[in-house]
């Protein structure tokens, strides 16, 4: 199946007739990219495809619990009257054996008189087909079964919920049964059970027959209620998704108008006060440092020079003292020698030598003396200032305080800018009200959905109990009745065949579940950034529950994964099921990159979109597939379209290209 063209006529924001070519001329270019801002018609496009194919059975996110006719009327463009109505024309190709046929599906709706009219027309290779038109609701199942459409048409941001174990099991059960044709086996088993019970009932005593009739009536009522609750649960889930979308839009509007700043206004003011206090404290520290030895840092070189001169003076004074001491000592020595040695020549030589030594010291004292005349206490203070590193420590402290002041000033400037951007409460009043209302409605929708789920589960358990009672009652009939020989053989064969089918079904499941495990694991590892996070995927063939195994073989619960990892797990499950189906079906994804981080986005763009199917339609905002992802996707693009909303007409036009600035 390959979509060729879709025409939207007065559908949602698509005003007038919008014809969009979906064909591709190259198998290497399977991706069709649609860009649109919020409210531009992306979700409407996805719903239009679902609606064209399935009509009232389409599981669209925005229908909720509304009646089908109300939903269609609301989907009609506001610029046209309900009597003019709207229409969707979907053209697709389908291969049947070696032949390829073109199908044109036209679904129209409008108000006529006091009633509502919807029609479906189907054309095959240009010719009208009455049979397909009248029975399209059943015929569509051979192209893409409605139960499987969520595997191929989905909202990338909303599918995270599919990673919940209960939802996963439900999807696997539905998909596997349909893909493997096991629904036929189930139906055959049910038919055999009906035959078996009919024969046994024919032999039932009046009392047993009354009991069976009572249980059958209760079971029929329970089945009817279960079907109602199933539909109700689907509708409530759609309501929940719609409520989530409304809150998401309200949150986006709130954020765009500075709402988060408004909410943080008190915290920002508190931060500003704290920063100002810290700034004043640091400025006090700076003044305290300035009142100490810090100013001397400005003349540190001169102080060092002064210290040198003081040392020279000290050395000069030492030399002068030494000269005085040596003069007395030398005189005493010479006097003593003269009394003992009468060789004047020796005495003269010694006297000259001692005089030269004193002269040298005297000269040294003269050279060292600076005339500073610094006394010893002053000299000690100077040495203490320089040698005790008081000045260097003060300089280090002031540098740290200056750095802290710079950082605090920068932080204060940033806070003041944010405070300046805080909008007035009055300007946000409507948005705050809308956001609060969306939250209340979401809580209500969640409670309604949970209540519906609980009611369904309770009803299902009651149905199981009735089935057990019925089975036991039928067994008692067999024990207490005298069956004729033919009925006995029929019942025995029915039991044997059901047992064979149960064994066959189990073997088929075991065989294909193993392949499905491999396909899902392969897909997940292909998309995850943490390549070693999940090492195994296990599906129980009986319960169809899915378990993830971590690097050490431990069970990894989906709730322990991040939102992005759960979204990729859901994508991998859908991808694995789609690959397992072996069917050539198009994939349509709204919000394809959702809340994923850049690494996971790259994996989806490079690994999933080009390989997901032979035709992949992406409905993206400019913040999802932006310039860098568009560059990666370009080799695989068959065409790009922009859903351009016109404020003057209030409608969306589909034009070629993709966010011109981004593409440039």
């Amino acid at each position: 199946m390959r979509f060729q063209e879709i025409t939207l006529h007065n559908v949602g924001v698509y005003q007038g007739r919008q014809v969009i070519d979906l064909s591709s001329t190259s198998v290497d270019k399977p991706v069709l990219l649609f860009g649109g801002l919020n409210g531009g018609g992306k979700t409407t496009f996805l719903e239009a495809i679902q609606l064209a194919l399935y009509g009232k059975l389409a599981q669209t996110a925005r229908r909720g619990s509304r009646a089908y006719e109300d939903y269609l009327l609301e989907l009609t463009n506001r610029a046209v009257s309900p009597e003019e109505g709207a229409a969707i024309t979907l053209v697709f190709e389908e291969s049947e054996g070696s032949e390829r046929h073109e199908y044109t599906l036209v679904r129209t709706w409008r108000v006529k008189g006091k009633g509502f009219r919807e029609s479906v027309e189907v054309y095959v290779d240009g010719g009208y087909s009455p049979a397909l038109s009248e029975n399209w609701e059943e015929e569509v199942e051979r192209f893409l079964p409605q139960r499987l459409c969520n595997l191929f048409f989905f909202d990338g941001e909303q599918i995270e919920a599919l990673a919940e174990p209960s939802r996963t099991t439900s999807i696997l059960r539905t998909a596997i049964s349909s893909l493997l044709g096991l629904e036929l086996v189930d139906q055959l088993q049910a038919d055999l059970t009906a035959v078996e019970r009919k024969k046994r009932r024919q032999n039932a005593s009046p009392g047993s027959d009354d009991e069976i009739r009572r249980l059958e009536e209760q079971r029929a009522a329970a089945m009817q209620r279960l079907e109602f609750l199933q539909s109700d649960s689907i509708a409530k889930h759609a309501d929940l998704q719609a409520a989530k979308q409304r809150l998401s839009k309200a949150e986006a509007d709130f954020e765009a108008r500075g709402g988060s700043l408004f909410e943080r206004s008190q915290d920002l003011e508190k931060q500003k006060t704290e920063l100002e206090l810290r700034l004043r404290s640091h400025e006090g520290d700076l003044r305290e440092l300035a009142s100490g030895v810090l100013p001397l840092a400005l003349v540190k070189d001169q102080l060092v020079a002064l210290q040198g001169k003081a040392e020279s003076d000290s050395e000069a004074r030492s030399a002068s003292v030494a000269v005085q001491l040596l003069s007395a000592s030398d005189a005493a020595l010479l006097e003593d020698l003269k009394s003992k040695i009468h060789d004047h020549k020796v005495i003269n030589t010694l006297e000259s030598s001692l005089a030269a030594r004193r002269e040298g010291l005297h000269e040294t004292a003269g050279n060292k003396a600076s005339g500073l005349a610094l006394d010893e206490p002053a000299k000690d203070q100077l040495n203490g200032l320089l040698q005790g590193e008081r000045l260097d420590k003060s300089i280090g402290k002031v540098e740290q305080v200056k750095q802290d002041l710079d950082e605090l000033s920068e932080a204060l400037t940033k806070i003041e800018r944010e405070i300046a951007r805080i909008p007035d409460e009055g300007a946000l009043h409507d948005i705050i009200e809308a956001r609060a209302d969306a939250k209340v409605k979401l809580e209500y929708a969640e409670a309604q959905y949970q209540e519906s789920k609980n009611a369904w589960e309770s009803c299902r358990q009651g149905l199981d109990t009735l089935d057990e009672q019925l089975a036991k009652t039928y067994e008692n009939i067999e024990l207490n009745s005298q069956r004729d020989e033919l009925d006995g053989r029929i019942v025995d064969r029915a039991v044997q065949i059901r047992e064979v089918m149960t064994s066959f079904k189990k073997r088929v499941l075991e065989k294909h579940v193993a392949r499905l495990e491999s396909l899902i694991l392969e897909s997940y590892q292909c998309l995850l950034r943490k390549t070693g996070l999940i090492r195994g995927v296990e599906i129980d063939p009986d319960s169809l529950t899915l378990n993830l195994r971590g690097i050490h073989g431990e069970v990894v619960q989906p709730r322990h994964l991040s939102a992005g990892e759960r979204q990729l797990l859901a994508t991998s499950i859908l991808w694995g099921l789609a690959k397992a189906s072996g069917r050539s079906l198009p994939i349509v994804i709204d919000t394809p990159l959702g809340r994923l981080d850049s690494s996971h986005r790259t994996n989806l763009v490079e690994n999933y979109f080009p390989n997901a199917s032979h035709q992949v339609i992406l409905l993206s905002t400019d913040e999802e597939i932006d310039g860098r992802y568009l560059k990666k996707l370009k080799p695989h693009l068959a065409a790009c379209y922009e859903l351009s909303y016109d404020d003057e007409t209030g409608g969306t036009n589909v034009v070629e290209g993709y966010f011109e600035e981004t593409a440039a």
Side-chain angles (χ1 to χ4, degrees):
M1 186 181 195
R2 182 189 292 274
F3 296 138
Q4 296 295 313
E5 183 182 278
I6 186 169
T7 301
L8 306 176
H9 187 205
N10 292 332
V11 178
V13 294
Y14 297 91
Q15 199 174 80
R17 181 182 170 83
Q18 304 280 333
V19 182
I20 307 161
D21 182 6
L22 303 177
S23 63
S24 173
T25 56
S26 172
V27 295
D28 297 326
K29 297 179 180 295
V31 181
L32 288 151
L33 178 61
F34 288 76
L37 302 177
N38 292 332
K42 299 187 300 302
T43 303
T44 301
F45 186 94
L46 171 61
E47 291 191 357
I49 292 177
Q50 294 172 291
L51 187 60
L53 289 170
Y54 303 109
K56 63 183 178 183
L57 298 179
Q59 296 180 17
T60 57
R62 295 188 296 191
R63 176 180 171 185
S65 56
R66 285 175 294 176
Y68 180 57
E69 293 180 1
D70 293 339
Y71 167 64
L72 288 184
L73 288 175
E74 191 162 316
L75 196 61
T76 305
N77 188 271
R78 296 176 183 176
V80 301
S81 66
E83 288 75 16
E84 183 176 347
I88 304 169
T89 302
L90 182 64
V91 181
F92 63 90
E93 283 187 350
E94 177 70 16
S95 296
E96 297 175 0
S98 59
E99 297 181 355
R100 184 182 294 272
H101 297 285
E102 181 182 272
Y103 294 81
T104 301
L105 173 63
V106 184
R107 186 179 294 275
T108 62
W109 64 89
R110 64 189 175 95
V111 170
K112 185 176 183 182
K114 296 183 179 179
F116 182 86
R117 180 175 181 180
E118 181 192 20
S119 67
V120 176
E121 296 177 358
V122 182
Y123 300 81
V124 183
D125 297 328
Y128 177 68
S129 171
L132 283 179
S133 301
E134 293 173 8
N135 302 292
W136 179 251
E137 195 170 299
E138 293 79 29
E139 292 292 337
V140 69
E141 293 292 307
R142 67 185 174 93
F143 298 101
L144 175 54
Q146 185 270 337
R147 295 179 302 282
L148 297 182
C149 73
N150 287 338
L151 301 183
F152 300 91
F153 309 150
F154 55 87
D155 184 322
E157 197 173 46
Q158 300 295 333
I159 62 170
E160 176 197 339
L162 301 184
E164 294 177 9
S166 60
R167 297 287 307 279
T168 303
T169 300
S170 175
I171 291 171
L172 290 174
R173 182 175 289 112
T174 301
I176 289 175
S177 293
S178 182
L179 294 175
L180 302 182
L182 295 179
E183 290 173 328
L184 184 60
V185 176
D186 292 336
Q187 184 59 50
L188 191 51
Q189 285 184 307
D191 292 343
L192 287 169
T193 299
V195 170
E196 178 189 346
R197 289 185 172 181
K198 180 180 178 182
K199 292 300 178 185
R200 287 183 175 178
R201 193 169 176 179
Q202 289 173 350
N203 293 282
S205 61
S208 298
D209 192 51
D210 291 343
E211 176 66 8
I212 289 171
R213 184 177 295 105
R214 184 183 67 80
L215 291 172
E216 291 284 8
E217 288 174 354
Q218 289 183 2
R219 188 180 187 282
M223 279 296 294
Q224 189 175 6
R225 176 161 175 72
L226 191 68
E227 290 176 3
F228 166 77
L229 291 173
Q230 177 71 27
S231 300
D232 183 67
S233 180
I234 292 172
K236 293 293 192 310
H237 182 262
D239 287 344
L240 177 61
Q241 297 304 313
K244 286 182 177 178
Q245 287 187 348
R246 281 195 294 272
L247 179 58
S248 178
K249 183 178 182 305
E251 295 281 11
D253 292 343
F254 185 73
E255 180 68 25
R257 297 283 294 274
S260 62
L261 286 174
F262 176 77
E263 281 190 328
R264 293 171 51 216
S265 58
Q266 291 187 350
D267 184 51
L268 290 172
E269 290 289 352
K270 183 180 177 182
Q271 290 182 43
K272 180 188 174 189
T273 302
E274 290 175 350
L275 286 172
E276 289 173 339
L277 288 174
R278 291 177 62 189
L279 267 172
R280 285 199 285 273
S281 174
H282 279 65
E283 289 169 351
D285 293 342
L286 202 58
R287 284 193 292 274
E288 185 178 343
L289 286 169
S291 65
V293 300
L294 186 63
L296 295 176
L298 298 173
V299 292
K300 183 182 177 183
D301 292 341
Q302 289 80 354
L303 289 176
V304 170
L306 185 64
Q307 185 186 36
K309 290 181 178 180
E311 288 296 329
S312 296
D313 282 345
S314 180
E315 291 176 7
R317 282 196 297 275
S318 296
S320 296
V321 170
V323 168
Q324 292 175 4
L325 292 174
L326 285 175
S327 294
S329 174
D330 290 349
L333 176 63
L334 287 171
E335 190 65 29
D336 185 48
L337 290 175
K338 284 177 181 178
S339 65
K340 295 177 182 177
I341 302 173
H342 302 288
D343 188 345
H344 295 288
K345 188 175 180 180
V346 172
I347 293 299
N348 291 337
T349 302
L350 179 60
E351 187 174 7
S352 298
S353 176
L354 292 174
R357 186 180 67 172
R358 292 194 304 273
E359 184 61 29
L361 285 172
H362 183 73
E363 185 178 354
T364 298
N367 292 336
K368 292 283 185 179
S370 65
L372 185 62
L374 198 64
D375 58 22
E376 285 303 318
K379 181 183 173 186
D380 290 342
Q381 282 187 329
L382 182 60
N383 287 337
L385 184 65
L386 296 175
Q387 295 173 0
E389 300 179 349
R390 285 177 57 201
L391 195 56
D392 288 339
K393 287 181 179 176
S394 294
I395 294 172
K397 283 183 181 178
V398 79
E399 291 294 337
Q400 182 60 50
V401 172
K402 282 174 60 182
Q403 182 179 341
D404 291 346
L405 277 172
D406 289 343
E407 291 175 356
L408 288 171
S409 296
E410 185 178 350
L412 182 60
T413 301
K414 184 178 178 182
I415 291 286
E416 288 174 338
R417 285 176 181 164
E418 289 186 323
I419 290 174
R421 289 169 47 216
I422 295 175
D424 294 335
E425 185 174 1
L428 287 176
H429 179 267
D430 291 346
I431 293 177
I432 291 174
E433 289 289 322
R435 181 166 168 258
D437 182 61
K439 284 183 177 178
V440 170
K441 287 181 177 173
L442 176 59
E443 290 175 1
Y444 178 76
E446 287 174 336
Q448 290 287 300
Y449 176 56
Q450 191 59 48
E451 183 181 345
S452 179
K453 277 178 60 180
N454 293 340
W456 180 87
E457 181 61 28
S458 176
C459 185
R460 190 192 62 77
Q461 291 176 0
L463 189 62
D464 290 344
T465 301
L466 284 171
D467 283 339
E468 290 174 4
Q469 290 176 349
L470 266 172
K472 192 172 182 180
T473 303
Y474 276 112
E475 287 175 3
N476 289 334
I477 290 172
E478 183 181 10
L479 292 174
N480 297 331
S481 65
Q482 296 295 324
R483 295 176 297 163
D484 64 33
E485 185 177 352
L486 179 58
D487 286 350
R489 286 203 301 271
I490 291 174
V491 169
D492 290 342
R493 292 293 182 272
V495 171
Q496 290 172 3
I497 294 171
R498 281 199 295 113
E499 289 174 350
V500 169
M501 287 186 170
T502 299
S503 176
F504 167 76
K505 184 177 175 181
K506 184 176 181 181
R507 290 190 178 185
V508 169
L509 281 173
E510 288 174 346
K511 176 182 176 183
H512 288 84
V513 156
R515 179 168 179 263
L516 189 55
E517 289 172 344
S518 175
L519 289 172
I520 292 175
L521 177 62
E522 177 185 286
S523 301
Y524 201 27
Q525 291 181 332
C526 181
L527 300 180
L528 272 178
R529 180 183 68 253
K530 302 173 187 173
T531 54
L533 178 63
I534 299 300
R535 294 296 179 88
V537 171
E538 297 174 354
I539 300 173
D540 186 294
D542 296 324
S543 65
L544 295 182
T545 54
L546 182 144
N547 286 317
L548 303 176
R549 294 286 179 182
I551 190 169
H552 302 298
E554 76 282 10
V555 173
V556 178
Q557 297 293 342
R559 66 175 180 274
H560 293 153
L561 301 174
S562 69
E565 289 166 345
R566 286 197 299 274
Q567 182 176 334
L568 292 182
L569 172 60
T571 302
S572 302
I573 292 170
L574 298 182
W575 194 8
L577 285 168
K579 286 190 282 190
S581 75
R583 299 192 180 195
S584 182
L585 294 166
I587 288 179
V588 185
I589 309 173
D590 187 12
T591 323
L593 298 181
R595 293 165 291 182
L596 299 174
D597 60 31
S598 59
S599 176
H600 286 153
R601 287 185 171 197
T602 298
N603 288 345
L604 274 183
V605 170
E606 293 183 343
N607 301 328
Y608 178 55
F609 297 151
N611 303 302
S613 174
H614 66 288
Q615 186 177 40
V616 179
I617 297 176
L618 303 178
L619 303 162
S620 168
T621 65
D622 57 341
E623 293 185 351
E624 293 179 86
I625 298 179
D626 56 16
R628 52 180 168 163
Y629 298 122
L630 182 63
K631 186 177 180 181
K632 295 177 184 293
L633 208 53
K634 268 192 174 177
H636 312 288
L637 285 177
C640 291
Y641 295 102
E642 183 174 343
L643 308 179
S644 179
Y645 183 77
D646 188 331
D647 286 321
E648 293 186 3
T649 64
T652 288
N653 296 307
V654 184
V655 297
E656 292 188 8
Y658 180 82
F659 296 118
E660 187 176 350
E661 293 183 5
T662 302

